Amino acid sequence: MSSWFGSLGSGLGQSLGQVGGSLASLSGQISNFTKDMLMEGTEEVEELPNARRKEVEAIHTILRSENERLKKVCTDLEEKHEASELQIKQQSMSYRNQLQQKEVEISHLKARQIALQDQLLKLQSAAPSGTSGVGGVPPTTASSSFGYGLSHHASALHDDDMDFGDVISSQREINRLSNEVSRLESEVGHWRHIAQTSKAQGSDNPEQSEICKLQNIIKELKQNRSQEIDDHQHEMSVLQNAHQQKLTEIARRHREELSDYEERIEELENLLQQGGSGITVTDHSKIHEMQQTIQVLQTEKVESTKKISELEDKVKDINEKLSSAENDRDVLTKEQERLNVENKQILEECERLKLECSELQPYAVKQSDAVTGKERGFPQSTSEQEEVFRLQQALSDAENEIKRLSNLNQDTGLGEDNMKLKMHVQVLEKENSLLNQEKEELQVSLSKLNDEYEVIKSKATRDIDLDSELHNLRLNLETKEQELNQSTTEKEVLIAELEELDKQNQEATKHMILIKDQLSRQQNEGDNAISKLKKDLNDEKKRVHQLEDDKMNMTKELDMQKEKLIQSELVLNDLHLTKQKLEDKVDNLVDQLNKSHTQNLNIQKENFELQEHIKQKEEELSRVREELTQSLHQDSNSNFKDDLLKEREAEIRNLKQNLSELEQLNENLKKAIFELKTENEKLNLACEDVRHQLEESTAGNSQISLDKDAIVKALKLEKGQLEAELCWAEKRRLEEASKYEQTIKELSEARNLSTSALQLEHERLIKLNQEKDFEIAELRKNIKQMDTDHKETKKVLSSSLEEQKQLTQLVSEKEICIKKLKERGSELQDELDKLTQVLRKNEILRQTIEEKDRNLGSMKEENNHLKEELERLREQQSRAAPMAEPKPIDSITELESEVSQLNVIKDNLEEEIKHHQKIIEDQNQSKIQLLQSLQEQKKEMDEIKYQHEQMSVTHTQLFLEKDEEIKTLQKTIEQIKTQLREERQDVQTENSVIFQETKVQGLNIENGSEKHDLSKAETERLVKGIKERELEIKLLNEKNISLTKQIDQLSKDEVGKLTQIIQQKDVEIQALHARISSASYPQDVVYLQQQLQAYAMEREQVLAVLSEKTRENSHLKTEYHKMMDIVAAKEAALNKLQDENKTLSTRFESSGQDMFRETVQNLSRIIREKDIEIDALSQKCQTLLAVLQTSNTGNEVGSVNSNQFEELLQERDKLKQQVKKMEEWKQQVMTTVQNMQHESAQLQEELHQLQAQVLVDSDNNSKLQVDYTGLIQSYEQNETKLKNFGQELAQVQHSIGQLCNTKDLLLGKLDIISPQLSSGSSLTSQSAEPPRAVKSDVSSEFSKQEIEELRKSLQEKDATIRTLQENNHRLSDSIAANSELERQEHEQTDSEIKQLKERQDVLQKSLKEKDLLIKAKSDQLLSLNESITNKVSENELLRQAVTNLKERTLILEMDICKLKEENEKIVETSREKETEYQALQETNMKLSMMLREKEFECHSLKEKALACEQLLKEKEQSMQEKTVTFQQERDQVMLALKQKQMENTALQNEVQHLRDKELRLNQELERLRNHLLESEDSYTREALAAEDREAKLRKKVTVLEEKLVSSSNAMENASHQASLQVESLQEQLNVVTKQRDETSLQLSVSREQVKQYALSLSNLQMVLEHFQQEEKTKYSAELEKHKQLIAEWKKKAENLEGKLVSLQERLDEANAALDSASRLTEQLDLKEEQIEELKKQNELRQEMLDDVQKKLMNLVNSTEGKVDKVLMRNLFIGHFHTPKNQRHEVLRLMGSILGIKKEEMEQLLKEDQGGVTRWMTGWLGGGSKSVPNTPLRPNQQSLLNSSFSELFVKFLETESHPSIPPPKLSVHDMQPLDSPGRRRLDTSGPESFKETMESRSGRRTDVNPFLAPRSAAVPLINPAGLGPGGPGHLLLKPISDVLPTFTPLPVLPDNSAGAVLKDILKQ
């Protein structure tokens, strides 16, 4: 298994490593082949040696470049291959080690499992009657687990993409197996326990509930196991499907690529066949011109790239504006792409049509007549010329496009860019239309050709007589056809060149776009950097301002602190004074205490004396009393004694009073002493507090002063730095200003014409700058105001200064860290330089090794030449007379000497190679170590960067607060920036315009040069233009120096590489020109032909090697995948067979157990045998692959070793035998499948029987339905597993077929190898002959021989192409056959699966029917009860078996513990073995490399021998006479060779043995050295550690001794003091004991007080802490509030600024309004004066009005009921003057005046017309007197002639204009705004009244004289009402000023009077 897994890993690595290389080599091969074929098409030449020589030289250069490229590709591929092999070897080593570990673990676990199984079986057998049905369970679980492991492992290995999948899967499997082992052990313990209990108890009847539980547990375990198996099988199938899909996709891609390449090759062959034999002079000249133009274009392209790289700096500024126009450009580019696609389609159609034309033309020519041939010849040539001309135009268009793309980068305006894109789109559309026209023309020409063809057919029958003319014309036609073919070839060449140019153009555009993107990124980065620098400058300035402000604040704070210090000093002085006072007080109190003490002692003494005195007195008293009593007895009447008694009693009383007073004094003194003591203690505490405070204050003051000094120093330093930075910034600003001034000067010099416009713009900019300065000044004022606000907040933020101090310290620390990091970075850079030097040395060594390899190749070629010379010598010997027999012996000796020399050279080369390999290995190791150190340094750098980033984050958080202040100033700076950019853009536009003009000139010149040769004047112009451009470029470089510094070094490297490549190309071109100019034509041609042939040979060899490698890769891949498929299929089959075994045993224990067991055992045995066979096959396959690889490495020259060939044949025979065995096994599998089908039929029959039993046993259905559902589920699972088994059998068959195919392929490959050798040798012989012929016949007819040689070379190349095609066809056929076989097998499997599915459906239907029957007749299930009883008995047996098993498991656990210990020991040994194994593997690798080299040399020698044998055999056939001599010679040579080979092999073996010994000894030496070094290191470490410990211990001892001395001194002092104190204390004790009793009471009181004080103190401390916390929180909250307030104030300030602007606008408006208001007030004053005057007038008028009203009332009373005669007369006359149609209107008017209602008037008018006349007559005939007629004026006559309505209108107009102007209204009588009168005024007459006021004076002329007094007499009174309801006559009523009827209406001239009347009536 280990070898199998190892081979799998190695195969995987090799296949994966070779995939990429093979694909890349294939694609490169085919592209090179196509290019070679294209270039070979232009080789055939007829005339003129000049053109031919040029062509040969061009081909030579192309082939040289191709060869160099191929060599580079080969070297790259070899390097990649070596690197990949090394990687793969390392990976495979690690994988193999891991696999071996895992295999060891698996084997251990398997052994455990087997042991457990054996113990289980023993326990079962030991159980009394528990054998039936028990043994099936544990083995199956074990096998299932093992199967699962295998399948899982295989699935993990199956993935190509996952590298670590196999490791992970093996680890998982180990874990799973360990889990299973632990589970089995627990089960064994359980059963052993049960068995023990059962043995102890005997044969007790177990309870049925436990049996049921166990059965349920068993069922659940079985179901879980089956589900897990199904899941794993599903995963396996999914993985297999995915892998098959990947394989099919890869195969499909490979086929598509092959088909594409085949089509391409066929097309190229067709093109070669179509290409003509001869090329005319004009075509050659054209081609030469085209090549020259291409070279010129390439040089110009290089120049343009340089210019572009210089002009890309300017593009940065433009790219900012490009963002807006990119959308439009995208749209245009989409259109462009669409047009390009259409263009390509049209070009393809054109090419297709051209091909059709070229196919039709020769067919038409064969059947054409003479005349038609003549007619057709000329237009075709003209059309070809036109096509050539069109292609030239297309070339020029491509050049224009290249130029335009270079100009696009210089364009500044977006509009211009868009316009150019649109122009490009238009040009593409034009090209599209032109191509469409060409297509149409070609179609027309096709139709014409068809017509001509038909005409030719018709004329062919007629013109048979003109044969002679036809012959001549045919000759002409052939010549024309040749010319046509030549032109077509030229056209194709031009198309190919065009395509290459297009590709170059596309690459250039892509490169340009990439550079543009890079430049835009760089520009953005530069802009960001500039903006950051400017921000930093502004930040620094602001920081300077802030620091200055801070400095001011600090100075203020310093003054404050000084003041505080002074105050604190004053306070200190006060405290000192108070202290002195307190000390004085204390002294006084002490004195007082002493005095009181003395007094107390005196008083005590006095007290004592007094007590003694009292005693004496009492004694005297007693004596006196006795005397008194005696005296009383003696003399009772004596008064003297009474007096004495009274006196004594008084004295006693006085003494008692004195005593009490003294006691009180004593108590008072004691209280005073106690109080003084307490006060003394308090004062002492206070003194100590004051001292502490003083010390703290002094320390704080000193700290503050130090901090202040430090801050001042830091501020001074920062100030100095900032001043330096400011100076630097000012210098930079001055430099930039000087630069800008220089640019402005250059602009003024460049734009002398537009100076006035510039001056205007300059003035405008100055004005703008001034405005901006004003704005900046205003903003600065605002900032100052904000600063004043901030200063107030900064007083609160004094605490933040301390944090800033800490931050500054941190910053300084971090700066130190950064300096260290920079130093470390410099060191790393130095190390990197060293590493680069080492790498350069490695590269130099590699180059030397490659040179050595080349020398080897040259030596091999020399060897081949020597062989050829040997063959020639032998031929000469054979030609010579048979006399010269001893000569071959001399030649043999010579050959032997040459062979020995060659062997010596070979040994030397081998030694050199070995030396170089050792050097390379050492360098690789050093490189790996350096890379590791680099990685460590990178990690450290990353950590340092992370710290730096954290620091920058903290700084940014500090600076973010101050960024908002900067934004206002940044806006102004950005505006100035934009202005400067506009100026720059103006400059750039001018420069670009100049450059475009020069470009256009250059383009025109180049277009001219395509049609005609370049003249001297044009070249001079070009030189001048180039010089001007160079001057412009210099100017632009000077301007853009600052920008070019920011460009990355990558672009410079790319440009440098391109320039180097271009220089190389130029050097090659110059060399070619020099060769052309030289006179030695024939020598050059011969040299070129030789080089051509050599290059062709090299290319063919390289292609052969590459094709062989690709084939080997593909074969290895297919074999590997097939092996994987086989293994997976086998494992799946195993798993499924085991699953089926379990399920069938559980399902049908009663019916078909024996048969299933037998079949499963047979199958498992067969599968094991097959697994063994597969392992053997895989090992053999690996050996085959190894042999093939070794043979392939040595197969570059051509042949295989004969011994190896014989071995391969033997292995082929073995493989055939194994194939036969596999076929037999397949038949066995088929038979087993048929048996399984038979068994399924039997099972079905048994099912029917069971169903019949179910029908019988339907009574107990209710109890057993649950069991029934479980059985149904298990049956369905069995069916699914049967299906899976069928599918896996099909897969196995498929894998067998694949194995057969692989064996056939291997055999075919072995057969193919032998013919290739002969073909290779023949090719070499053929290729060697032509140069000799050329050398021999140089003088005679040189050109013809060259043509013949070229034709021969063409034929050889055609032959090689055909062989390649045949190989390709064979490959494709084989692949197709394989695919067809796979499809057939798939179809067979599909049909089998369908049949199985149909059977399954039938079975399911029958099952469903039976289910219905079972449900219908569920009362007959008695037989199942019997089976349950049987199962119960079986369960009892199982229980007994389980108890036995538990006992065994306990024993096994003990064994397992021992095994674990042994395992750990084995693991340790295995690790040591692994290290040894790795060393051995490394040596093995080296040996394998050596072996391969030696085998390669052996192969070469064997190939030489085979070649010699073949030559000898040929000569034997040709010359039978001299066979004997040659045989003898050959035998001698062969013997000599064999002896040499034997000697070589013996020497090699000895060398290998010596090397092995050396390696082993070196390894042992290294191991011993390492061991010694480790031991020495450990000893040194231990010694150092011991020394360190000794030093530490000695130090500790000294320290302890010092401490002891000090402590002893202290103890002595303390003891002395203690003795003194004891004496004093003993003295005091006597005193204190007396006082103790007195003070104990006071102590209790004082303790209570102390407790209270302590409580109050703790409370106060708590409160203080709480207050401090609250103050802190308040301060933090206030800080945050202040910050928020600052932000809010800033926002408010911005809002207020906006509001200020609006308020200023409002102020202006308010000022204007104020001005107008002042004017209005003046006017109001005037109006008020006028009003007062008017009031006075009004009062006068009011009086007049009262009089007039009185008169009017009188008149009204008098004139009620009267009618105005004049009015009625006028109305009456007007009635008669009006026409009859309008008289009813007059009557209506009269009625309205007389007060008749409208309805009555309408009724009157509706009556007859006579009614009106009657009314009129009655009214007139009523006796009214006639009115005297007034004489009429002439104007009145004219009025009478007009209509009544017109007259009435005029009358109304006159009435509306009274003679007297109306009186002005008084202010008192004026109504308010909201009064009804006013509203009525507004509604009824809006503007008419004003008009009447204005127009009364002007309309006085039209009034009749007799109407004037009447109108004047009418009073102006506001009437109460108007209309038909009003009282009295209308004319007698007073006219209101608001009456609508008297308003003058503006009458238009078009309107009639009737319309006016209608309007009046409506009002």
Side-chain angles (χ1 to χ4, degrees), residues 29-85:
Q29 232 185 86
I30 291 158
S31 62
N32 296 335
F33 183 72
T34 51
K35 283 180 185 174
D36 293 337
M37 295 312 292
L38 278 167
M39 297 319 300
E40 281 168 9
T42 59
E43 277 180 7
E44 291 189 351
V45 181
E46 276 191 356
E47 296 171 356
L48 291 163
N50 287 322
R52 192 176 168 288
R53 189 168 54 70
K54 287 174 187 173
E55 254 187 73
V56 169
E57 282 171 355
I59 292 155
H60 174 251
T61 53
I62 290 154
L63 280 165
R64 184 187 280 169
S65 63
E66 280 290 314
N67 257 319
E68 284 171 358
R69 197 179 60 72
L70 279 166
K71 280 175 186 174
K72 284 177 186 173
V73 168
C74 281
T75 53
D76 292 331
L77 285 167
E78 283 168 1
E79 285 171 2
K80 284 178 188 173
H81 183 65
E82 285 168 1
S84 63
E85 275 182 349

Side-chain angles (χ1 to χ4, degrees), residues 1764-1778 1786-1787 1789-1791 1793-1794 1816 1819 1844 1848 1851 1931:
D1764 194 354
K1765 287 181 181 180
V1766 179
L1767 199 146
M1768 287 305 290
R1769 189 181 63 203
N1770 285 328
L1771 284 168
F1772 182 67
I1773 292 156
H1775 174 266
F1776 287 107
H1777 282 294
T1778 53
V1786 178
L1787 292 169
L1789 242 179
M1790 288 163 80
I1793 289 159
L1794 292 166
M1816 286 296 284
W1819 186 56
F1844 171 73
F1848 186 65
F1851 161 69
L1931 294 168

Side-chain angles (χ1 to χ4, degrees), residues 593-609 666 669 673 1631 1634-1635:
L593 262 169
N594 291 321
K595 284 174 186 176
S596 63
H597 195 65
T598 51
Q599 284 174 3
N600 200 352
L601 288 166
N602 291 322
I603 289 156
Q604 282 175 355
K605 284 174 184 177
E606 285 172 1
N607 273 324
F608 193 70
E609 287 170 359
N666 200 354
L669 281 165
I673 286 156
V1631 177
K1634 290 174 185 178
Q1635 291 176 359

Side-chain angles (χ1 to χ4, degrees), residues 1774-1960:
H1775 174 266
F1776 287 107
H1777 282 294
T1778 53
K1780 289 181 181 180
N1781 294 324
Q1782 293 176 352
R1783 280 183 185 176
H1784 61 277
E1785 290 175 3
V1786 178
L1787 292 169
R1788 278 177 186 163
L1789 242 179
M1790 288 163 80
S1792 65
I1793 289 159
L1794 292 166
I1796 300 158
K1797 292 179 181 177
K1798 280 185 184 179
E1799 292 169 359
E1800 289 171 358
M1801 276 302 293
E1802 280 170 4
Q1803 281 175 4
L1804 288 165
L1805 289 165
K1806 277 176 190 175
E1807 288 174 2
D1808 298 328
Q1809 289 175 359
V1812 177
T1813 53
R1814 282 198 294 278
W1815 177 76
M1816 286 296 284
T1817 50
W1819 186 56
L1820 290 167
S1824 66
K1825 292 176 184 179
S1826 64
V1827 180
N1829 291 316
T1830 59
L1832 296 164
R1833 290 181 187 183
N1835 63 354
Q1836 283 176 345
Q1837 286 173 3
S1838 68
L1839 283 164
L1840 289 165
N1841 289 324
S1842 63
S1843 65
F1844 171 73
S1845 61
E1846 287 170 0
L1847 290 167
F1848 186 65
V1849 166
K1850 282 183 180 178
F1851 161 69
L1852 290 170
E1853 283 175 359
T1854 53
E1855 284 294 318
S1856 68
H1857 301 295
S1859 60
I1860 301 156
K1864 289 181 181 178
L1865 293 164
S1866 65
V1867 182
H1868 299 294
D1869 297 331
M1870 283 171 80
Q1871 291 173 341
L1873 286 166
D1874 295 329
S1875 63
R1878 178 66 182 264
R1879 282 174 195 159
R1880 214 177 285 124
L1881 211 156
D1882 291 337
T1883 53
S1884 59
E1887 288 178 352
S1888 56
F1889 186 63
K1890 291 175 189 175
E1891 287 171 7
T1892 56
M1893 292 284 284
E1894 286 167 5
S1895 62
R1896 272 170 192 165
S1897 62
R1899 293 186 187 177
R1900 291 286 299 162
T1901 54
D1902 297 331
V1903 183
N1904 288 326
F1906 57 84
L1907 294 171
R1910 184 70 62 189
S1911 65
V1914 176
L1916 287 161
I1917 296 161
N1918 286 328
L1922 190 86
H1929 200 271
L1930 192 140
L1931 294 168
L1932 296 172
K1933 286 175 185 175
I1935 300 156
S1936 69
D1937 56 352
V1938 195
L1939 196 69
T1941 53
F1942 295 99
T1943 57
L1945 293 160
V1947 182
L1948 293 164
D1950 300 331
N1951 290 338
S1952 60
V1956 175
L1957 266 173
K1958 280 178 186 174
D1959 291 329
I1960 290 157

Side-chain angles (χ1 to χ4, degrees), residues 883-891:
M883 290 291 289
E885 285 179 359
K887 281 180 186 177
I889 295 155
D890 298 327
S891 66

